[in-house]
Amino acid sequence: NAGVTQTPKFRVLKTGQSMTLLCAQDMNHEYMYWYRQDPGMGLRLIHYSVGEGTTAKGEVPDGYNVSRLKKQNFLLGLESAAPSQTSVYFCASSWGLEVENEQFFGPGTRLTVL
Amino acid sequence: QQPVQSPQAVILREGEDAVINCSSSKALYSVHWYRQKHGEAPVFLMILLKGGEQKGHEKISASFNEKKQQSSLYLTASQLSYSGTYFCGTESPARQLTFGSGTQLTVLP
């Protein structure tokens, strides 16, 4: 099992460009999450999904869109990148409805917006 | 609202003990603890559910005081491999995690 994978691992964008980050999990998890991590800020939830075809806003959703067309994939889109979106992005997944809702994280995508 | 972790950083010698605290002002479903090494993804350590639970994981254990909305992570006889940043995550009834800003733990030989 690969667990949670993310592509790409690194990306540099210019202000105003768009891109999509792909997260895939092979654990048949219901819930998936996108976080961003900035120095000294911990992890902040951008968007999450509680099942195929569903999405919901997290703590910092502005400037991002997501889609979950297939249960195993969760896509994060930046329509018009801004320097403030320079960060490390982590995807995570979990069973969701289990009593102990442990989250499994992907390796991260380091994004720089110039 | 982000849970508050303390201390922000701690430096230990191998074999010493440490305590990391996490407190929240919101009603909690559970508290999660994760460890992240530099340049890597966070790794799950343990979950504590409501009810004043305590758990142990090798020489790492934790407690959850539901009334005070506080959790503490105890690292005993620390090893070099314990170095990293420790995050608590408070889980809401809607199963969303809100992470603290982390405690950077450095274990020296």
Side-chain angles (χ1 to χ4, degrees):
Chain A
N1 286 352
V4 180
T5 58
Q6 292 181 233
T7 51
K9 287 186 170 54
F10 303 93
R11 186 72 186 267
V12 178
L13 291 179
K14 294 182 180 178
T15 297
Q17 288 184 320
S18 63
M19 77 162 294
T20 300
L21 282 66
L22 171 64
C23 175
Q25 52 94 5
D26 61 3
M27 295 174 280
N28 202 32
H29 284 168
E30 287 294 333
Y31 284 31
M32 296 187 74
Y33 313 83
W34 275 108
Y35 294 92
R36 62 177 288 172
Q37 185 173 36
D38 303 304
M41 297 290 290
L43 293 130
R44 292 184 291 170
L45 183 65
I46 305 171
H47 285 282
Y48 65 101
S49 167
V50 300
E52 181 178 314
T54 75
T55 62
K57 294 180 180 179
E59 181 187 354
V60 288
D62 293 342
Y64 305 94
N65 57 75
V66 288
S67 64
R68 184 128 180 245
L69 299 179
K70 292 183 178 181
K71 185 177 183 178
Q72 64 267 32
N73 295 336
F74 196 28
L75 278 64
L76 177 71
L78 286 74
E79 290 184 346
S80 180
S84 60
Q85 293 177 305
T86 293
S87 189
V88 180
Y89 291 85
F90 286 101
C91 175
S93 69
S94 71
W95 292 111
L97 298 179
E98 294 294 317
V99 174
E100 297 196 351
N101 191 30
E102 168 190 354
Q103 292 191 13
F104 296 81
F105 284 83
T109 295
R110 186 174 296 274
L111 176 66
T112 302
V113 183
L114 302 175
Chain B
Q1 192 173 4
Q2 191 178 32
V4 177
Q5 282 187 239
S6 62
Q8 288 186 323
V10 59
I11 299 174
L12 301 172
R13 293 281 180 187
E14 260 187 303
E16 292 182 338
D17 302 340
V19 180
I20 300 171
N21 299 304
C22 175
S23 63
S24 174
S25 59
K26 296 172 72 172
L28 303 178
Y29 178 83
S30 69
V31 177
H32 295 214
W33 286 97
Y34 291 80
R35 177 171 61 206
Q36 184 179 31
K37 294 193 181 276
H38 184 69
E40 298 180 7
V43 174
F44 171 78
L45 292 176
M46 63 188 77
I47 289 176
L48 298 115
L49 304 177
K50 294 193 292 185
E53 191 176 26
Q54 286 195 328
K55 268 192 176 178
H57 178 72
E58 297 180 342
K59 294 180 181 177
I60 301 175
S61 62
S63 63
F64 178 25
N65 185 322
E66 184 183 350
K67 286 184 180 178
K68 292 184 178 181
Q69 302 283 68
Q70 290 177 349
S71 179
S72 295
L73 185 71
Y74 307 94
L75 299 100
T76 57
S78 58
Q79 306 168 12
L80 294 176
S81 62
Y82 287 2
S83 292
T85 301
Y86 290 77
F87 293 98
C88 72
T90 52
E91 187 177 19
S92 69
R95 318 311 296 273
Q96 289 179 43
L97 274 185
T98 303
F99 285 92
S101 57
T103 296
Q104 188 170 349
L105 180 77
T106 304
V107 181
L108 302 174

